[in-house]
Structures are given as structure tokens and as C-alpha cells.
């Protein structure tokens, strides 16, 4: 069955503002940020953002041609994961972090549909820092679009068939000068 809306829940102030400031500062300094190369039409280019992958030891993940080996959990990530798990009832064994240094950094259209995520994955996306536009478009009908803003301390849950029928992206926003950190918590299972 096809759906006409992505299945999402958005809680704009999941983390209070002051706690969000502290978590943003801790993540900026404590996370091992890297700028990774990515393959686009067979060509290696640097990703327009910084990334990191944390999780349980067995939660390895292939992302856009890159094998991501998780780093062990650090206190700020454990705190955020526990809070989301307690409040939503969903469980997560890993998290992909993206740091957009300013509005020139971005993420292109994609679905989070890697085999390790299984069918109908639940993805919990937490954002800190600059508010950025988050776009959805239908995979098979690109003119069907939807847009939300993801602000400081927000939690977006994507579930159901969202990753089957919808792509998402973070477009550039040239007027944004501040950094934004996004965390997508996932449940990754080993490949057969
Ligand atoms: O930064 C965001 O909100 C999007 C991150 C994203 O699309 C992903 O991790 O797959």
C-alpha cells in the first residue's frame, strides 16, 4: 500500500533550550568528527559536512559506499539515547552524527533504506544548533513534496513506510552562519 504522507512525529522542544545548549557544546568537542570522501557517479568527493558513527560494537553499517565502524558510546550520546528510548519506547543500538558547519553544508536526497536497517525502520532524529529546512519528496513522484523546520532540541521520528516511499534532504541555506548537529538513532542488525 502506498502512502501519501511520510509517517512522522515531530516534537519541537524535546530537549529544553538550556540543556540543548549544553549537549550541542559537548557534542562539538567530544565527538570525533571527520570529513569523509563519498562516491558520486564513481568519483570520490568530500562530503559537505562532518560525520561520526557511534554504537554497540556489532553495529557496523555501510553508508554511501563507506564502511562505518562504530566508536564506543560517550556520555552525551548515552544521555540522549536513554531519553529518547524512555520517551518513545523504541530501542536504538547506533547513531549517525552529521555536523553542518554553516548553511553551505548540506545533505543530498536519499532514503535510509540500507539492508542493515531492515523493513520499516524507525529512525529518531535529534537536532541542535541552527534551524534548517528538512525536505521530503516522494521517491516515485518528485513533485510531491513536504517541508518541515528542524530546530534546536527537536526530535523527529520517521517510521512505517517512510523510508520506502520518501526521500529526504537538507538543502543549503546560504544565510545560515551557525553550525547544526543532527543525530539519527537507528537499530542496525548484522548482515546475513
Ligand atoms: O541532518 C539531518 O536532519 C538529516 C540527516 C540524514 O538525512 C541522515 O542521517 O540520513
Amino acid at each position: 500500500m502506498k502512502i501519501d504522507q511520510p509517517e512522522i512525529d515531530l516534537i519541537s522542544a524535546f530537549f529544553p533550550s538550556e540543556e540543548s545548549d549544553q549537549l550541542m557544546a559537548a557534542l562539538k568537542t567530544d565527538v570525533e568528527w571527520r570529513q569523509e570522501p563519498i562516491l558520486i557517479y564513481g568519483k570520490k568527493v568530500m562530503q559537505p559536512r562532518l560525520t561520526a558513527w557511534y554504537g554497540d560494537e556489532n553495529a557496523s553499517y555501510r553508508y554511501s559506499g563507506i564502511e562505518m565502524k562504530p566508536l564506543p558510546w560517550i556520555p552525551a550520546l548515552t544521555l540522549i539515547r536513554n531519553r529518547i528510548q524512555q520517551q518513545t519506547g523504541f530501542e536504538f543500538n547506533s547513531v549517525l552524527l552529521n555536523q553542518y558547519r554553516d548553511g553551505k553544508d548540506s545533505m543530498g536526497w536519499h532514503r535510509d533504506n540500507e539492508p542493515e536497517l531492515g523493513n520499516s525502520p524507525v529512525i529518531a532524529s535529534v537536532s541542535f544548533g541552527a534551524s534548517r529546512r528538512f525536505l521530503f519528496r516522494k521517491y516515485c513522484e518528485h513533485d510531491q513534496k513536504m517541508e518541515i523546520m528542524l530546530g534546536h532540541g527537536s526530535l523527529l521520528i520517521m517510521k512505517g513506510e517512510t523510508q520506502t516511499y520518501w526521500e529526504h534532504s537538507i538543502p543549503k541555506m546560504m544565510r545560515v552562519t551557525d553550525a547544526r548537529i543532527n543525530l539519527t538513532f537507528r537499530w542496525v542488525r548484522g548482515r546475513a
Side-chain angles (χ1 to χ4, degrees):
M1 188 192 67
K2 295 218 170 168
I3 52 169
D4 292 307
Q5 290 280 319
E7 285 181 59
I8 57 171
D9 297 314
L10 176 60
I11 305 163
S12 328
F14 184 78
F15 288 98
S17 169
E18 204 174 308
E19 190 179 19
S20 298
D21 294 346
Q22 289 159 4
L23 288 168
M24 171 92 181
L27 294 172
K28 250 190 168 176
T29 53
D30 297 350
V31 167
E32 287 185 36
W33 295 105
R34 299 182 58 166
Q35 189 173 18
E36 300 278 6
I38 190 173
L39 284 179
I40 297 188
Y41 301 115
K43 240 184 113 179
K44 241 186 201 184
V45 294
M46 294 312 270
Q47 288 183 322
R49 60 189 176 275
L50 308 180
T51 59
W53 176 247
Y54 285 76
D56 296 350
E57 211 180 319
N58 58 352
S60 263
Y61 184 54
R62 262 187 113 46
Y63 179 77
S64 297
I66 305 163
E67 176 83 29
M68 307 280 277
K69 286 230 177 293
L71 294 165
W73 295 100
I74 57 172
L77 294 176
T78 301
L79 183 153
I80 298 167
R81 175 168 75 141
N82 288 346
R83 191 81 61 83
I84 296 170
Q85 291 188 153
Q86 279 156 15
Q87 302 280 322
T88 66
F90 296 117
E91 297 216 330
F92 305 99
N93 63 0
S94 49
V95 60
L96 173 66
L97 292 104
N98 283 288
Q99 183 181 159
Y100 305 83
R101 292 158 291 185
D102 58 28
K104 293 195 285 301
D105 276 353
S106 62
M107 168 138 4
W109 289 109
H110 68 284
R111 294 178 290 169
D112 295 333
N113 63 348
E114 290 77 9
E116 294 90 335
L117 298 176
N119 294 325
S120 315
V122 175
I123 294 173
S125 164
V126 177
S127 299
F128 298 112
S131 287
R132 295 287 296 259
R133 297 167 67 210
F134 185 85
L135 310 183
F136 284 105
R137 76 177 180 194
K138 219 163 177 186
Y139 181 62
C140 294
E141 283 173 79
H142 286 179
D143 55 342
Q144 276 209 50
K145 292 191 183 130
M146 196 181 132
E147 169 170 346
I148 53 180
M149 287 302 282
L150 294 181
H152 194 40
S154 65
L155 170 66
L156 170 71
I157 303 281
M158 297 186 272
K159 58 190 176 185
E161 297 309 310
T162 302
Q163 304 302 330
T164 309
Y165 297 119
W166 295 84
E167 297 178 302
H168 54 273
S169 70
I170 295 281
K172 290 184 198 301
M173 283 175 75
M174 288 317 209
R175 66 174 183 277
V176 171
T177 51
D178 290 337
R180 166 179 184 265
I181 290 177
N182 174 262
L183 305 86
T184 45
F185 288 85
R186 300 140 186 261
W187 184 271
V188 168
R189 52 205 96 201
R191 283 195 184 205

